[in-house]
Amino acid sequence: MNKLNVRERIDVLLDKNTFVEVDKYVKHHCTNFGMENKRIAGDGVVCGYGKIDGRLVFVYGFDFAVLGGSLSSANAQKIVKVQEMALKVGAPIIGLNDSGGARIQEGIESLTGFAHIFRRNVMSSGVIPQISAIMGPCAGGSCYSPALTDFILMVQDESQMFITGPNVVKQVTNEECDKESLGGASVHGSISGVANFVCQNDEECLMTIRELLGFLPSNNMEDAPIKPATDELTRICHELDNVVPADPNQSYDIRNIIEPICDQQYFFEIQPSWAKNIVIGFGRMAGRTVGFVANQPQEKSGALDIDASEKAARFIRFCDCFNIPIVAIEDVTGFLPGIQQEHNGIIRHGAKLVYAFAEATVPKVTLITRKAYGGAYIAMNSKQLGADVNLAYPTAEIAVMGAKGAVSILYRKETPEQQAERVKEYEEKFANPTMAAEHGFIDDIIEPADTRHALIQALEMCRNKNQSNPPKKHGNIPL
């Protein structure tokens, strides 16, 4: 295990010799339980600003070696100061969390410190990117500040997040667990969906933050950095010709469509281990950042469920906050059926995805590769939901449901032989994008090899899009 101390972490994270520390002489003022004899300069949190790839960022990091990295009121004041500085100048803020939670000796003072931090998290939301790295324990109130930020990274075998620890869980529910099984990186990366990235060590975590920021603008009034486009804009992607199988019931990896169309064929995936039936992440097209949202036929036949809807909706809203165009790649059989899904609120959670796409005013382009059925077709950025350009492969099937399901309802009294003929008839009519194109719901039917060029053309056309939603304090998204 190669666990770095807080200053080593900041050195790895920032460009060399750019870190400027703030409030390094601050000490706590607590005199309870002998704390007057444990006053250390900085009080266990290092705060300041520096640069990543030449761009200004703010950072604060907990030092677990000082009183377990616990949060004091003095620490909270330091963190709030850099939060306010970051918001004032419009620069990202990064928190390096390695803390046991509120400092017990201070009682209510340390708890109110959390409240001040949370409020700044909320005020900064959608204005500047906020990134949290969990690089050790993160317990109790410490969890909620990261949860309010845009992206959370965790380190395998080093970091844990939980509101109440294993001992309390045992006392209250009589469940046996340890820190790792309760809130380790694997749990939050694949089961809860709390973590966006799970890294193998501190260095990988910090380098991932640097790479992530390369796709993002510094604030909501700017665009993401543009990288010189060395990849041919009109590049023909012949490898896409055979990605979508001829058999409509055969699966394929949607990343085999996303990766070839990105500049240098590089796709930066987010939350790869949670809600695998939807794929989200950043790529570049013509040197500009694009957010991808794509159904994954390899998982649950690409159907949307509760977790996939939430995963996609949050990512879409982030992209919309920070002026990042969205490309939706669609191959969806519908919303996942089942008693558990219905009882857990698929209607409410699925509505989040509809809301997010409909609310977003950034350029929105949709490509239908194969199936686009029912309400899921609408939810995945349909023309009627506000998409700017909708494209389809010749293999696209746009319908209320699949042929067999439709025939079983429409012609339930007919013989199996008659129903087989009806299935063929239904497929001829709906197992193609022609009808949707005739109604103007699909703007063009393209060959797979032309995907990159067609999407770049659509995004360039939409670049100066100027759209705003009706004036309001804020919408009421179904949470």
Side-chain angles (χ1 to χ4, degrees), residues 16-56:
K16 191 173 181 180
N17 298 323
T18 64
F19 181 57
V20 178
E21 189 168 353
V22 175
D23 285 341
K24 61 183 173 183
Y25 300 110
V26 166
K27 298 178 182 179
H28 72 78
H29 305 289
C30 178
T31 57
N32 301 325
F33 306 104
M35 287 295 291
E36 65 273 14
N37 301 317
K38 299 178 181 179
R39 299 181 68 211
I40 299 168
D43 200 34
V45 171
V46 179
C47 299
Y49 55 92
K51 293 184 177 180
I52 290 179
D53 291 333
R55 300 165 65 207
L56 176 67

Side-chain angles (χ1 to χ4, degrees), residues 236-436:
I236 303 300
C237 305
H238 286 297
E239 60 268 49
L240 298 185
D241 287 334
N242 299 310
V243 173
V244 180
D247 181 353
N249 296 316
Q250 187 177 339
S251 70
Y252 64 97
D253 190 344
I254 200 68
R255 287 169 294 201
N256 291 336
I257 289 179
I258 301 173
E259 290 171 2
I261 64 178
C262 293
D263 291 355
Q264 279 72 51
Q265 304 189 43
Y266 181 68
F267 173 57
F268 183 69
E269 189 172 357
I270 295 168
Q271 285 184 303
S273 300
W274 182 62
K276 294 181 180 180
N277 44 327
I278 200 89
V279 173
I280 61 172
F282 296 115
R284 290 187 179 89
M285 303 193 80
R288 296 175 182 269
T289 299
V290 174
F292 288 92
V293 178
N295 306 115
Q296 175 58 288
Q298 280 190 334
E299 297 286 336
K300 301 177 182 177
S301 300
L304 292 167
D305 61 2
I306 288 171
D307 289 346
S309 298
E310 289 202 349
K311 175 180 171 180
R314 180 159 170 78
F315 180 70
I316 292 161
R317 299 191 91 207
F318 175 85
C319 290
D320 190 47
C321 286
F322 291 102
N323 313 310
I324 297 171
I326 299 166
V327 171
I329 301 181
E330 181 173 355
D331 187 346
V332 62
T333 56
F335 282 94
L336 189 68
I339 294 172
Q340 202 66 41
Q341 285 289 306
E342 294 292 352
H343 287 189
N344 288 336
I346 183 64
I347 297 170
R348 174 166 48 89
H349 294 287
K352 296 175 185 177
L353 179 59
V354 176
Y355 192 106
F357 267 129
E359 180 189 44
T361 58
V362 292
K364 297 180 290 185
V365 180
T366 298
L367 170 67
I368 301 173
T369 61
R370 191 169 58 176
K371 296 173 182 176
Y373 292 166
Y377 153 68
I378 298 170
M380 283 298 295
N381 201 33
S382 63
K383 177 68 73 174
Q384 296 77 13
L385 215 54
D388 299 296
V389 178
N390 293 69
L391 306 172
Y393 286 171
T395 48
E397 307 172 21
I398 305 167
V400 175
M401 62 178 64
K404 288 184 178 179
V407 168
S408 69
I409 294 171
L410 295 173
Y411 304 103
R412 64 172 67 89
K413 294 181 179 180
E414 292 190 355
T415 66
E417 293 76 15
Q418 289 173 318
Q419 286 188 350
E421 289 300 317
R422 297 291 191 183
V423 167
K424 291 179 183 178
E425 179 184 336
Y426 190 94
E427 288 175 342
E428 288 174 7
K429 193 166 187 176
F430 292 111
N432 60 72
T434 306
M435 182 175 288

Side-chain angles (χ1 to χ4, degrees), residues 144-163:
Y144 282 114
S145 178
L148 292 167
T149 62
D150 299 305
F151 297 100
I152 295 176
L153 300 89
M154 295 186 72
V155 180
Q156 191 70 51
D157 301 325
E158 285 186 21
S159 56
Q160 303 92 32
M161 293 180 76
F162 39 72
I163 301 302

Side-chain angles (χ1 to χ4, degrees), residues 99-284:
S99 168
R103 189 169 293 174
I104 297 172
Q105 295 92 328
E106 291 195 11
I108 192 66
E109 289 187 53
S110 59
L111 289 178
T112 56
F114 275 129
H116 289 300
I117 294 169
F118 298 166
R119 186 166 185 271
R120 272 65 179 189
N121 286 137
V122 174
M123 294 302 105
S124 298
S125 182
V127 183
I128 55 174
Q130 300 179 87
I131 298 172
S132 299
I134 314 301
M135 310 186 80
C138 187
S142 298
C143 295
Y144 282 114
S145 178
L148 292 167
T149 62
D150 299 305
F151 297 100
I152 295 176
L153 300 89
M154 295 186 72
V155 180
Q156 191 70 51
D157 301 325
E158 285 186 21
S159 56
Q160 303 92 32
M161 293 180 76
F162 39 72
I163 301 302
T164 52
N167 292 336
V168 176
V169 171
K170 171 66 175 174
Q171 291 173 12
V172 175
T173 70
N174 206 34
E175 294 172 292
E176 295 280 356
C177 59
D178 57 22
K179 291 181 179 180
E180 197 63 29
S181 63
L182 180 63
S186 296
V187 169
H188 289 309
S190 61
I191 299 174
S192 72
V194 169
N196 300 95
F197 302 92
V198 174
C199 305
Q200 295 306 306
N201 50 52
D202 282 10
E203 288 88 348
E204 182 184 329
C205 178
L206 298 165
M207 296 309 290
T208 300
I209 294 173
R210 289 180 61 94
E211 183 175 8
L212 172 61
L213 281 171
F215 287 99
L216 309 181
S218 293
N219 57 68
N220 65 341
M221 301 303 290
E222 298 181 11
D223 291 326
I226 300 172
K227 292 212 169 183
T230 57
D231 196 349
E232 188 180 355
L233 306 188
T234 59
R235 172 165 54 82
I236 303 300
C237 305
H238 286 297
E239 60 268 49
L240 298 185
D241 287 334
N242 299 310
V243 173
V244 180
D247 181 353
N249 296 316
Q250 187 177 339
S251 70
Y252 64 97
D253 190 344
I254 200 68
R255 287 169 294 201
N256 291 336
I257 289 179
I258 301 173
E259 290 171 2
I261 64 178
C262 293
D263 291 355
Q264 279 72 51
Q265 304 189 43
Y266 181 68
F267 173 57
F268 183 69
E269 189 172 357
I270 295 168
Q271 285 184 303
S273 300
W274 182 62
K276 294 181 180 180
N277 44 327
I278 200 89
V279 173
I280 61 172
F282 296 115
R284 290 187 179 89

